Amino acid sequence: MSSTPPPSGPARSAAAVDAEIRALLEATGGWLWGPTRARYEELRDEWVAAVRDEITTAA
């Protein structure tokens, strides 16, 4: 689990974070290690938070 604090400022949408995750995976050919693995984990955590926020907002 990433210990990096969430970015400050307005939260991005789940779709925006998903697009960055997909671009990262495409750029690395799906192989994640070292810094790219760490970045993926940060993005994953941001995506989960965005999805939760979108579900809470919709409810």
Side-chain angles (χ1 to χ4, degrees):
M1 190 147 130
S2 176
S3 62
T4 305
S8 61
R12 297 191 293 167
S13 70
V17 180
D18 182 60
E20 189 171 343
I21 291 170
R22 289 174 184 272
L24 177 66
L25 289 169
E26 185 175 332
T28 63
W31 293 95
L32 300 171
W33 61 86
T36 57
R37 178 66 184 192
R39 180 63 182 144
Y40 167 78
E41 291 175 358
E42 291 169 3
L43 289 169
R44 179 201 59 211
D45 294 345
E46 184 181 354
W47 179 83
V48 168
V51 168
R52 284 185 184 148
D53 184 53
E54 290 173 9
I55 290 171
T56 302
T57 302

